[in-house]
Amino acid sequence: MKRALITGITGQDGSYLAELLLEKGYQVYGIMRRKSVVDYGNVDHIRQKIHFIYADMTDLVSLVHAMRVSQADEVYNLAAQSFVGTSWEQPLATAEIDAMGVTNMLEAIRLVKPDAHFYQASTSEMFGKVRQVPQTEQTPFYPRSPYGVAKLYGYWITKNYRESYGMFACSGILFNHESERRGMEFVTRKITHAAARIKAGVQDYVELGNLDAKRDWGHAKDYVRAMWLLLQNPTPEDFVIATNETRTVREFAEAAFRHAGFSIVWEGEGVDEVGKDSVSGRTLVKVNREFYRPAEVELLWGNPAKAEEQLGWKREITFDGLVERMVKSDMALVAAQIGK
């Protein structure tokens, strides 16, 4: 029975990955930070099947302990301060977790079980102000946030340990991937949850930032399958995981409200733009300058050709399928909350 250690196991990706590995017969260990109130997050429904270890990405000693306890054959580093907006408010904490935390995990593996396979959760935000369209494994990086900068360190230190110590250490450069388990602070979940609340009559409208920002959106369930495939590859290599499609925030909002039973028409420009229901004329979306980033990432669009050819990976859930699943889930959640 293979053993896997997952950092960030209670998050969106960690929960889907834990389910996948359990289905494949793995013994799954998950790292949790000790809190005054125990919170299993997205793995609450499978917590009895997981071996939890208290540790912290900023504490090397605790990670060494986690490796000794788990004796993991595969380590998936998904722990991060993952919200881009917060990285401007907490740049040092973001660097400690997303950059130095990767080094701590790699060191723990090197000291305890250097033959373990290591997966680093890298991000399309490293491309930032993109130098090439679409982005591939060869595209130069230009991060535009403290989050992107910290993640870029994590990417390069992973490559450095691979080349310096011969470790099986690789990065998945994952483009935006969402799901029903996405945190409420992320724009996609903010939109789908708002659409559900507006439909239920408990919210008037939603405020968004840059409607023209383009992203390559897929479903997290497809993307964790790619993580596993990376560690089954004969050699440690880095891969872009994406859909090879890009859509604006405006298009995501249109799709979400459509699945909630509305049809958006847009009026105005820039910060004066609003989205209204084409039937009732009711305002559904307003633009708020406060939600713009200090340095915008205008376009992310990934080419997953290498992963498709070498790993045999393909996304199965379409963009529209992703949005529909999120809206339906949020409509059920809102209905339960208001007792309908």
Side-chain angles (χ1 to χ4, degrees):
M1 180 182 291
K2 275 190 174 182
R3 295 168 172 244
L5 176 65
I6 303 172
T7 74
I9 195 168
T10 61
Q12 170 190 260
D13 292 7
S15 65
Y16 282 116
L17 179 61
E19 289 173 347
L20 176 70
L21 296 179
L22 287 169
E23 288 171 7
K24 292 183 177 296
Y26 279 66
Q27 192 167 346
V28 176
Y29 293 79
I31 284 179
M32 288 182 64
R33 285 180 295 168
R34 186 175 291 280
K35 299 179 182 178
S36 57
V37 178
V38 178
D39 180 10
Y40 293 102
N42 288 306
V43 292
D44 188 66
H45 64 296
I46 52 171
R47 68 181 185 276
Q48 302 299 334
K49 301 177 182 179
I50 298 169
H51 305 273
F52 291 100
I53 304 170
Y54 285 114
D56 192 289
M57 297 303 295
T58 63
D59 184 353
L60 174 60
V61 174
S62 70
L63 296 178
V64 168
H65 171 72
M67 282 302 301
R68 285 177 177 161
V69 170
S70 67
Q71 288 297 307
D73 302 296
E74 297 174 3
V75 178
Y76 297 86
N77 183 37
L78 312 185
Q81 188 301 98
S82 59
F83 188 51
V84 176
T86 298
S87 73
W88 277 283
E89 300 167 3
Q90 300 179 15
L92 298 183
T94 300
E96 283 292 326
I97 299 166
D98 297 7
M100 295 308 299
V102 185
T103 313
N104 287 335
M105 192 71 253
L106 285 164
E107 269 296 285
I109 295 169
R110 188 178 72 85
L111 293 170
V112 178
K113 203 168 185 291
D115 61 336
H117 288 199
F118 175 76
Y119 171 85
Q120 166 60 15
S122 291
T123 170
S124 57
E125 287 286 334
M126 300 188 308
F127 293 119
K129 190 174 182 179
V130 298
R131 309 284 87 186
Q132 175 187 352
V133 178
Q135 293 87 61
T136 71
E137 293 81 5
Q138 305 305 316
T139 302
F141 298 114
Y142 194 143
R144 296 267 282 171
S145 65
Y147 169 76
V149 172
K151 278 291 193 175
L152 188 53
Y153 177 97
Y155 169 86
W156 281 114
I157 199 66
T158 299
K159 186 184 288 283
N160 185 258
Y161 269 64
R162 179 169 77 217
E163 296 176 353
S164 299
Y165 302 114
M167 293 171 61
F168 194 110
C170 56
S171 288
I173 307 172
L174 271 58
F175 280 64
N176 295 67
H177 47 289
E178 319 297 324
S179 77
E180 307 89 303
R181 301 176 188 176
R182 191 49 135 165
M184 293 288 187
E185 70 272 24
F186 290 87
V187 68
T188 50
R189 186 71 191 286
K190 179 180 179 179
I191 292 170
T192 61
H193 193 243
R197 286 174 54 82
I198 292 168
K199 182 67 175 180
V202 294
Q203 183 171 329
D204 294 328
Y205 57 84
V206 63
E207 292 186 336
L208 302 175
N210 184 4
L211 295 175
D212 294 317
K214 294 181 178 180
R215 295 294 184 269
D216 184 326
W217 277 299
H219 196 288
K221 196 167 187 179
D222 284 335
Y223 285 46
V224 300
R225 185 162 37 84
M227 297 176 188
W228 178 76
L229 287 170
L230 256 75
L231 296 197
Q232 315 315 309
N233 200 39
T235 57
E237 299 179 43
D238 306 319
F239 290 86
V240 162
I241 305 299
T243 71
N244 204 21
E245 299 173 356
T246 188
R247 289 178 173 82
T248 62
V249 173
R250 182 186 286 101
E251 289 175 285
F252 193 101
E254 289 170 351
F257 278 96
R258 183 175 70 253
H259 286 295
F262 298 99
S263 175
I264 290 184
V265 292
W266 300 95
E267 298 179 1
E269 294 182 1
V271 293
D272 297 319
E273 187 170 9
V274 294
K276 295 185 175 182
D277 179 39
S278 63
V279 176
S280 65
R282 176 184 181 184
T283 296
L284 304 173
V285 179
K286 292 183 179 181
V287 174
N288 187 334
R289 173 62 69 176
E290 291 184 7
F291 295 121
Y292 277 64
R293 295 180 179 183
E296 280 288 338
V297 173
E298 298 292 347
L299 168 65
L300 293 175
W301 177 1
N303 182 349
K306 180 182 175 184
E308 291 176 350
E309 292 168 9
Q310 290 188 216
L311 303 178
W313 177 84
K314 271 195 177 296
R315 66 96 175 256
E316 296 177 355
I317 300 170
T318 65
F319 171 78
D320 195 63
L322 159 71
V323 180
E324 182 179 16
R325 289 166 71 134
M326 292 179 69
V327 171
K328 284 184 175 179
S329 176
D330 275 327
M331 290 180 76
L333 177 63
V334 170
Q337 289 172 342
I338 63 177
K340 288 186 178 179

Coordinates of all heavy atoms in Angstrom, one line a residue, residues 227-302:
M227 N -2.1 16.0 -10.9 CA -1.1 15.9 -9.9 C -0.6 14.5 -9.7 O 0.7 14.3 -9.6 CB -1.6 16.5 -8.6 CG -2.1 17.9 -8.6 SD -2.8 18.3 -7.0 CE -3.5 20.0 -7.3
W228 N -1.5 13.6 -9.6 CA -1.1 12.2 -9.4 C -0.3 11.7 -10.6 O 0.7 11.0 -10.4 CB -2.4 11.4 -9.2 CG -2.1 9.9 -9.0 CD1 -1.6 9.3 -7.9 CD2 -2.2 8.9 -10.0 NE1 -1.4 7.9 -8.1 CE2 -1.8 7.6 -9.4 CE3 -2.7 8.9 -11.3 CZ2 -1.8 6.4 -10.1 CZ3 -2.7 7.6 -12.0 CH2 -2.3 6.5 -11.4
L229 N -0.7 12.0 -11.8 CA 0.0 11.5 -13.0 C 1.4 12.1 -13.0 O 2.3 11.4 -13.5 CB -0.8 12.0 -14.2 CG -2.1 11.2 -14.5 CD1 -2.9 11.9 -15.6 CD2 -1.8 9.8 -14.9
L230 N 1.6 13.3 -12.5 CA 3.0 13.9 -12.5 C 3.9 13.0 -11.7 O 5.1 12.8 -12.1 CB 3.0 15.3 -12.0 CG 3.1 16.4 -13.0 CD1 1.8 16.6 -13.7 CD2 3.5 17.7 -12.3
L231 N 3.4 12.4 -10.6 CA 4.3 11.6 -9.7 C 4.4 10.2 -10.2 O 5.2 9.4 -9.7 CB 3.8 11.7 -8.3 CG 3.9 13.1 -7.6 CD1 3.8 13.0 -6.1 CD2 5.1 13.9 -8.0
Q232 N 3.6 9.8 -11.2 CA 3.7 8.4 -11.8 C 4.6 8.5 -13.0 O 5.0 7.4 -13.5 CB 2.4 7.9 -12.1 CG 1.3 8.0 -11.1 CD 1.7 7.7 -9.7 OE1 2.3 6.7 -9.4 NE2 1.5 8.7 -8.7
N233 N 4.9 9.7 -13.5 CA 5.8 9.8 -14.7 C 7.1 9.2 -14.4 O 7.7 9.3 -13.3 CB 5.9 11.3 -15.0 CG 6.3 11.5 -16.4 OD1 5.9 10.9 -17.3 ND2 7.2 12.5 -16.6
P234 N 7.8 8.5 -15.4 CA 9.1 7.9 -15.2 C 10.2 8.9 -14.7 O 11.1 8.5 -14.0 CB 9.4 7.3 -16.6 CG 8.1 7.2 -17.3 CD 7.3 8.3 -16.8
T235 N 10.1 10.2 -15.1 CA 11.1 11.2 -14.8 C 10.4 12.4 -14.2 O 9.3 12.7 -14.6 CB 11.9 11.6 -16.0 OG1 11.0 12.1 -17.0 CG2 12.7 10.4 -16.5
P236 N 11.1 13.1 -13.3 CA 10.5 14.3 -12.7 C 10.5 15.5 -13.6 O 11.6 15.9 -14.0 CB 11.3 14.5 -11.4 CG 12.6 13.9 -11.7 CD 12.4 12.7 -12.6
E237 N 9.4 15.9 -14.1 CA 9.4 17.1 -15.0 C 8.2 18.0 -14.6 O 7.3 17.6 -13.9 CB 9.1 16.6 -16.4 CG 10.2 15.7 -17.0 CD 9.8 15.2 -18.4 OE1 9.4 16.1 -19.2 OE2 10.0 14.0 -18.7
D238 N 8.3 19.2 -15.1 CA 7.3 20.2 -14.8 C 6.3 20.3 -16.0 O 6.7 20.2 -17.1 CB 7.9 21.6 -14.6 CG 9.0 21.5 -13.5 OD1 8.8 20.8 -12.5 OD2 10.1 22.2 -13.7
F239 N 5.0 20.5 -15.6 CA 3.9 20.5 -16.6 C 2.9 21.6 -16.4 O 2.6 21.9 -15.3 CB 3.2 19.1 -16.6 CG 3.9 17.9 -17.0 CD1 4.7 17.2 -16.2 CD2 3.8 17.5 -18.4 CE1 5.4 16.1 -16.6 CE2 4.5 16.4 -18.8 CZ 5.3 15.7 -17.9
V240 N 2.5 22.2 -17.5 CA 1.4 23.1 -17.5 C 0.1 22.3 -17.5 O 0.0 21.4 -18.4 CB 1.4 24.1 -18.7 CG1 0.1 24.7 -19.0 CG2 2.5 25.2 -18.5
I241 N -0.8 22.6 -16.6 CA -2.1 21.9 -16.6 C -3.2 23.0 -16.8 O -3.3 23.9 -16.0 CB -2.4 21.2 -15.3 CG1 -1.2 20.2 -15.0 CG2 -3.7 20.5 -15.3 CD1 -1.0 19.1 -16.0
A242 N -3.9 23.0 -18.0 CA -4.8 24.0 -18.3 C -5.8 23.4 -19.3 O -5.8 22.2 -19.7 CB -4.1 25.2 -19.0
T243 N -6.8 24.3 -19.8 CA -7.8 23.8 -20.7 C -7.5 24.3 -22.2 O -8.2 23.9 -23.1 CB -9.2 24.4 -20.3 OG1 -9.2 25.8 -20.5 CG2 -9.5 24.1 -18.8
N244 N -6.6 25.2 -22.3 CA -6.3 25.8 -23.6 C -7.5 26.7 -24.1 O -7.7 26.9 -25.3 CB -5.9 24.8 -24.7 CG -5.1 25.4 -25.8 OD1 -4.5 26.4 -25.7 ND2 -5.1 24.7 -27.0
E245 N -8.2 27.2 -23.1 CA -9.3 28.1 -23.4 C -9.2 29.3 -22.4 O -8.8 29.1 -21.3 CB -10.7 27.5 -23.2 CG -10.9 26.3 -24.2 CD -12.2 25.6 -23.9 OE1 -12.9 25.9 -22.9 OE2 -12.6 24.6 -24.6
T246 N -9.6 30.5 -22.8 CA -9.6 31.6 -21.9 C -11.0 32.4 -22.0 O -11.5 32.5 -23.1 CB -8.4 32.6 -22.1 OG1 -8.4 33.5 -21.1 CG2 -8.5 33.3 -23.5
R247 N -11.5 32.8 -20.9 CA -12.7 33.6 -20.8 C -12.6 34.7 -19.8 O -11.8 34.6 -18.9 CB -13.9 32.6 -20.4 CG -14.3 31.6 -21.5 CD -15.4 30.7 -21.0 NE -15.9 29.9 -22.1 CZ -15.3 28.8 -22.5 NH1 -14.2 28.3 -21.9 NH2 -15.8 28.0 -23.5
T248 N -13.4 35.7 -20.0 CA -13.4 36.9 -19.1 C -14.2 36.6 -17.9 O -15.1 35.7 -17.9 CB -13.9 38.1 -19.8 OG1 -15.3 37.9 -20.2 CG2 -13.1 38.5 -21.0
V249 N -14.0 37.4 -16.9 CA -14.8 37.4 -15.7 C -16.3 37.7 -16.1 O -17.2 37.1 -15.5 CB -14.3 38.4 -14.6 CG1 -15.3 38.5 -13.4 CG2 -12.9 38.0 -14.1
R250 N -16.4 38.6 -17.0 CA -17.8 38.9 -17.5 C -18.5 37.6 -18.1 O -19.6 37.4 -17.8 CB -17.7 40.0 -18.6 CG -19.0 40.4 -19.1 CD -18.9 41.4 -20.3 NE -18.5 42.7 -19.9 CZ -17.2 43.2 -20.0 NH1 -16.3 42.4 -20.5 NH2 -16.9 44.4 -19.6
E251 N -17.7 36.9 -18.8 CA -18.3 35.6 -19.4 C -18.7 34.6 -18.3 O -19.7 33.9 -18.4 CB -17.3 35.0 -20.4 CG -17.2 35.8 -21.7 CD -16.2 35.2 -22.6 OE1 -14.9 35.4 -22.3 OE2 -16.5 34.5 -23.6
F252 N -17.8 34.6 -17.3 CA -18.1 33.6 -16.1 C -19.4 34.1 -15.5 O -20.3 33.3 -15.1 CB -17.0 33.6 -15.1 CG -17.1 32.5 -14.1 CD1 -16.3 31.4 -14.3 CD2 -18.0 32.6 -13.1 CE1 -16.4 30.3 -13.4 CE2 -18.1 31.5 -12.2 CZ -17.3 30.4 -12.3
A253 N -19.6 35.4 -15.3 CA -20.8 35.9 -14.6 C -22.0 35.6 -15.5 O -23.0 35.2 -15.0 CB -20.6 37.4 -14.4
E254 N -21.9 35.8 -16.8 CA -23.0 35.5 -17.7 C -23.4 34.1 -17.6 O -24.6 33.8 -17.5 CB -22.6 35.9 -19.1 CG -22.4 37.3 -19.4 CD -21.8 37.6 -20.8 OE1 -21.4 36.7 -21.4 OE2 -21.8 38.8 -21.2
A255 N -22.5 33.2 -17.6 CA -22.8 31.7 -17.5 C -23.4 31.4 -16.1 O -24.4 30.6 -16.1 CB -21.5 30.9 -17.7
A256 N -22.9 32.0 -15.1 CA -23.4 31.7 -13.7 C -24.9 32.1 -13.6 O -25.7 31.4 -13.1 CB -22.5 32.3 -12.7
F257 N -25.1 33.4 -14.0 CA -26.5 33.9 -13.9 C -27.4 33.2 -14.8 O -28.6 33.0 -14.5 CB -26.5 35.4 -14.1 CG -26.1 36.2 -12.9 CD1 -24.8 36.6 -12.7 CD2 -27.1 36.4 -11.9 CE1 -24.5 37.3 -11.5 CE2 -26.7 37.1 -10.7 CZ -25.4 37.5 -10.5
R258 N -26.9 32.7 -16.0 CA -27.8 31.9 -16.9 C -28.2 30.6 -16.2 O -29.4 30.3 -16.3 CB -27.0 31.6 -18.2 CG -27.9 30.9 -19.2 CD -27.1 30.7 -20.5 NE -26.1 29.7 -20.4 CZ -24.8 30.0 -20.4 NH1 -24.4 31.3 -20.6 NH2 -23.8 29.1 -20.3
H259 N -27.3 30.0 -15.5 CA -27.7 28.7 -14.8 C -28.6 29.0 -13.6 O -29.2 28.1 -13.1 CB -26.5 28.0 -14.4 CG -25.8 27.3 -15.6 ND1 -26.4 26.3 -16.3 CD2 -24.5 27.5 -16.2 CE1 -25.5 25.9 -17.3 NE2 -24.4 26.6 -17.2
A260 N -28.6 30.2 -13.2 CA -29.5 30.6 -12.1 C -30.9 31.1 -12.6 O -31.7 31.5 -11.8 CB -28.9 31.7 -11.2
G261 N -31.0 31.2 -13.9 CA -32.3 31.6 -14.5 C -32.4 33.0 -15.0 O -33.5 33.5 -15.2
F262 N -31.2 33.7 -15.1 CA -31.2 35.1 -15.5 C -30.5 35.2 -16.9 O -29.8 34.3 -17.3 CB -30.5 36.0 -14.5 CG -31.1 36.1 -13.2 CD1 -30.6 35.3 -12.1 CD2 -32.1 36.9 -12.9 CE1 -31.1 35.3 -10.9 CE2 -32.7 37.0 -11.7 CZ -32.2 36.2 -10.6
S263 N -30.7 36.3 -17.5 CA -29.9 36.6 -18.8 C -29.4 38.0 -18.7 O -30.2 39.0 -18.6 CB -30.8 36.5 -20.0 OG -30.2 36.9 -21.2
I264 N -28.1 38.2 -18.6 CA -27.4 39.5 -18.4 C -27.2 40.3 -19.7 O -26.8 39.7 -20.7 CB -26.1 39.3 -17.7 CG1 -26.2 38.8 -16.3 CG2 -25.3 40.6 -17.7 CD1 -24.9 38.8 -15.5
V265 N -27.6 41.5 -19.6 CA -27.2 42.5 -20.7 C -26.4 43.6 -20.0 O -26.6 43.9 -18.8 CB -28.4 43.1 -21.4 CG1 -29.1 42.1 -22.2 CG2 -29.3 43.8 -20.4
W266 N -25.4 44.1 -20.7 CA -24.4 45.0 -20.0 C -24.7 46.4 -20.5 O -24.9 46.7 -21.7 CB -23.0 44.6 -20.4 CG -22.7 43.2 -19.9 CD1 -22.7 42.1 -20.6 CD2 -22.3 42.9 -18.5 NE1 -22.4 41.0 -19.8 CE2 -22.1 41.4 -18.5 CE3 -22.0 43.6 -17.4 CZ2 -21.7 40.8 -17.4 CZ3 -21.7 42.9 -16.2 CH2 -21.5 41.5 -16.2
E267 N -24.5 47.4 -19.6 CA -24.7 48.8 -19.9 C -23.5 49.6 -19.3 O -23.1 49.2 -18.2 CB -26.0 49.3 -19.3 CG -27.3 48.7 -19.9 CD -28.5 49.2 -19.3 OE1 -28.5 50.1 -18.4 OE2 -29.6 48.7 -19.7
G268 N -23.1 50.6 -19.9 CA -22.0 51.5 -19.4 C -20.6 50.9 -19.7 O -20.5 49.9 -20.4
E269 N -19.6 51.6 -19.2 CA -18.2 51.1 -19.5 C -17.4 51.3 -18.2 O -17.7 52.2 -17.3 CB -17.6 52.0 -20.6 CG -18.2 51.7 -22.0 CD -17.5 52.5 -23.0 OE1 -16.5 53.2 -22.7 OE2 -17.9 52.4 -24.2
G270 N -16.3 50.5 -18.1 CA -15.4 50.6 -17.0 C -16.1 50.5 -15.6 O -16.9 49.6 -15.4
V271 N -15.8 51.4 -14.7 CA -16.3 51.3 -13.3 C -17.8 51.7 -13.3 O -18.5 51.5 -12.3 CB -15.6 52.3 -12.4 CG1 -14.1 51.8 -12.2 CG2 -15.6 53.7 -12.8
D272 N -18.3 52.2 -14.4 CA -19.8 52.5 -14.5 C -20.6 51.4 -15.1 O -21.8 51.5 -15.3 CB -20.0 53.8 -15.4 CG -19.3 55.0 -14.7 OD1 -19.4 55.2 -13.5 OD2 -18.7 55.8 -15.4
E273 N -19.9 50.3 -15.5 CA -20.6 49.2 -16.1 C -21.5 48.4 -15.1 O -21.1 48.2 -14.0 CB -19.6 48.3 -16.8 CG -20.3 47.2 -17.6 CD -19.3 46.4 -18.5 OE1 -18.1 46.6 -18.3 OE2 -19.7 45.6 -19.4
V274 N -22.7 48.1 -15.6 CA -23.6 47.2 -14.8 C -24.1 46.1 -15.6 O -24.2 46.3 -16.9 CB -24.7 48.1 -14.2 CG1 -24.2 49.1 -13.2 CG2 -25.6 48.7 -15.2
G275 N -24.4 45.0 -15.0 CA -25.1 43.9 -15.7 C -26.5 43.8 -15.2 O -26.8 43.7 -14.0
K276 N -27.5 43.8 -16.2 CA -28.9 43.8 -15.8 C -29.6 42.6 -16.4 O -29.2 42.1 -17.4 CB -29.6 45.1 -16.3 CG -29.1 46.3 -15.6 CD -29.9 47.6 -16.0 CE -29.5 48.8 -15.3 NZ -30.4 50.0 -15.6
D277 N -30.6 42.1 -15.7 CA -31.4 41.0 -16.2 C -32.2 41.5 -17.4 O -32.9 42.6 -17.4 CB -32.4 40.5 -15.1 CG -33.3 39.4 -15.6 OD1 -32.8 38.6 -16.4 OD2 -34.5 39.4 -15.3
S278 N -32.1 40.9 -18.6 CA -32.7 41.3 -19.8 C -34.2 41.3 -19.8 O -34.9 42.0 -20.5 CB -32.2 40.4 -21.0 OG -32.7 39.1 -20.8
V279 N -34.8 40.6 -18.8 CA -36.3 40.5 -18.8 C -36.8 41.6 -17.8 O -37.7 42.4 -18.2 CB -36.7 39.1 -18.3 CG1 -38.3 39.1 -18.2 CG2 -36.3 38.1 -19.3
S280 N -36.3 41.6 -16.6 CA -36.9 42.5 -15.6 C -36.2 43.8 -15.5 O -36.7 44.8 -14.9 CB -36.8 41.8 -14.2 OG -35.4 41.6 -13.8
G281 N -35.0 43.9 -16.1 CA -34.2 45.2 -16.0 C -33.5 45.3 -14.6 O -32.9 46.3 -14.3
R282 N -33.6 44.3 -13.8 CA -33.0 44.3 -12.4 C -31.5 44.3 -12.5 O -30.9 43.5 -13.3 CB -33.5 43.1 -11.7 CG -33.0 43.0 -10.3 CD -33.5 41.7 -9.7 NE -33.1 41.4 -8.4 CZ -33.3 40.3 -7.7 NH1 -34.1 39.4 -8.2 NH2 -32.9 40.1 -6.5
T283 N -30.8 45.1 -11.7 CA -29.3 45.1 -11.7 C -28.8 43.9 -11.0 O -29.2 43.7 -9.8 CB -28.8 46.4 -11.1 OG1 -29.2 47.5 -11.9 CG2 -27.3 46.4 -10.9
L284 N -28.0 43.2 -11.6 CA -27.4 41.9 -11.0 C -25.9 42.1 -10.7 O -25.5 41.5 -9.7 CB -27.6 40.8 -12.0 CG -29.0 40.4 -12.5 CD1 -28.9 39.4 -13.6 CD2 -29.9 40.0 -11.3
V285 N -25.2 42.9 -11.5 CA -23.7 43.0 -11.3 C -23.4 44.5 -11.3 O -23.8 45.3 -12.2 CB -23.0 42.3 -12.4 CG1 -21.4 42.5 -12.2 CG2 -23.3 40.8 -12.4
K286 N -22.6 45.0 -10.4 CA -22.0 46.3 -10.4 C -20.5 46.2 -10.4 O -19.9 45.2 -9.8 CB -22.5 47.1 -9.2 CG -23.9 47.5 -9.3 CD -24.3 48.4 -8.1 CE -25.7 48.8 -8.1 NZ -26.1 49.7 -6.9
V287 N -19.8 47.1 -11.0 CA -18.3 47.2 -10.9 C -17.9 48.0 -9.7 O -18.4 49.2 -9.6 CB -17.7 47.7 -12.2 CG1 -16.2 47.8 -12.1 CG2 -18.0 46.7 -13.4
N288 N -16.9 47.6 -8.9 CA -16.4 48.3 -7.8 C -14.9 48.4 -7.9 O -14.2 47.4 -7.9 CB -16.8 47.6 -6.5 CG -16.4 48.5 -5.3 OD1 -15.5 49.3 -5.3 ND2 -17.1 48.3 -4.2
R289 N -14.4 49.6 -8.1 CA -12.9 49.8 -8.2 C -12.1 49.2 -7.1 O -10.9 48.8 -7.3 CB -12.6 51.3 -8.4 CG -11.2 51.7 -8.4 CD -10.4 51.2 -9.6 NE -10.8 51.8 -10.8 CZ -10.2 51.5 -12.0 NH1 -9.3 50.6 -12.1 NH2 -10.7 52.1 -13.1
E290 N -12.7 49.0 -5.9 CA -11.9 48.5 -4.8 C -11.5 47.1 -5.0 O -10.6 46.6 -4.4 CB -12.8 48.6 -3.5 CG -13.0 50.0 -3.0 CD -13.8 50.0 -1.7 OE1 -14.0 48.9 -1.1 OE2 -14.2 51.1 -1.3
F291 N -12.2 46.4 -5.9 CA -11.8 45.0 -6.2 C -10.8 44.8 -7.3 O -10.5 43.7 -7.7 CB -13.1 44.2 -6.5 CG -14.0 44.1 -5.4 CD1 -15.3 44.6 -5.5 CD2 -13.6 43.6 -4.1 CE1 -16.2 44.5 -4.4 CE2 -14.5 43.5 -3.1 CZ -15.8 44.0 -3.2
Y292 N -10.3 45.9 -7.9 CA -9.2 45.8 -8.8 C -7.9 45.5 -8.1 O -7.7 46.0 -6.9 CB -9.0 47.1 -9.6 CG -10.0 47.3 -10.8 CD1 -11.3 47.3 -10.6 CD2 -9.5 47.4 -12.1 CE1 -12.2 47.5 -11.7 CE2 -10.3 47.5 -13.2 CZ -11.7 47.6 -13.0 OH -12.5 47.7 -14.0
R293 N -7.0 44.8 -8.7 CA -5.7 44.5 -8.1 C -4.7 45.7 -8.3 O -4.9 46.5 -9.2 CB -5.0 43.3 -8.7 CG -5.7 42.0 -8.5 CD -5.0 40.9 -9.2 NE -5.6 39.6 -9.1 CZ -5.1 38.5 -9.6 NH1 -4.0 38.5 -10.3 NH2 -5.7 37.3 -9.4
P294 N -3.8 45.9 -7.3 CA -2.8 47.0 -7.5 C -2.0 46.8 -8.9 O -1.6 47.8 -9.5 CB -1.8 46.8 -6.3 CG -2.7 46.2 -5.3 CD -3.7 45.3 -6.0
A295 N -1.7 45.5 -9.2 CA -1.1 45.2 -10.5 C -1.9 44.1 -11.2 O -1.9 43.0 -10.7 CB 0.3 44.8 -10.4
E296 N -2.6 44.4 -12.2 CA -3.6 43.5 -12.8 C -2.9 42.4 -13.7 O -1.8 42.7 -14.3 CB -4.6 44.2 -13.7 CG -5.7 44.9 -12.9 CD -6.7 43.9 -12.3 OE1 -6.8 42.7 -12.8 OE2 -7.4 44.2 -11.3
V297 N -3.4 41.2 -13.6 CA -3.0 40.2 -14.6 C -4.2 40.1 -15.5 O -5.3 39.6 -15.2 CB -2.8 38.8 -13.8 CG1 -2.6 37.7 -14.8 CG2 -1.6 38.9 -12.9
E298 N -4.0 40.5 -16.8 CA -5.1 40.7 -17.7 C -5.4 39.4 -18.4 O -6.6 39.2 -18.8 CB -4.7 41.7 -18.8 CG -4.5 43.1 -18.2 CD -5.8 43.8 -17.6 OE1 -6.8 43.2 -17.9 OE2 -5.6 44.8 -16.9
L299 N -4.4 38.5 -18.7 CA -4.7 37.3 -19.5 C -3.9 36.1 -19.0 O -2.6 36.2 -18.9 CB -4.3 37.6 -21.0 CG -4.3 36.4 -21.9 CD1 -5.6 35.8 -22.1 CD2 -3.7 36.9 -23.3
L300 N -4.6 35.0 -18.8 CA -3.9 33.7 -18.5 C -4.6 32.7 -19.4 O -5.8 32.6 -19.4 CB -4.0 33.3 -17.0 CG -3.2 34.2 -16.0 CD1 -3.5 33.8 -14.6 CD2 -1.7 34.2 -16.3
W301 N -3.7 32.0 -20.1 CA -4.3 31.0 -21.2 C -3.2 30.0 -21.3 O -2.1 30.2 -21.9 CB -4.5 31.8 -22.4 CG -5.0 31.0 -23.6 CD1 -5.2 29.6 -23.6 CD2 -5.3 31.5 -24.9 NE1 -5.7 29.2 -24.9 CE2 -5.7 30.4 -25.7 CE3 -5.3 32.7 -25.5 CZ2 -6.1 30.5 -27.0 CZ3 -5.7 32.9 -26.8 CH2 -6.1 31.7 -27.6
G302 N -3.4 28.8 -20.8 CA -2.4 27.7 -20.8 C -2.6 26.7 -21.9 O -3.7 26.3 -22.3

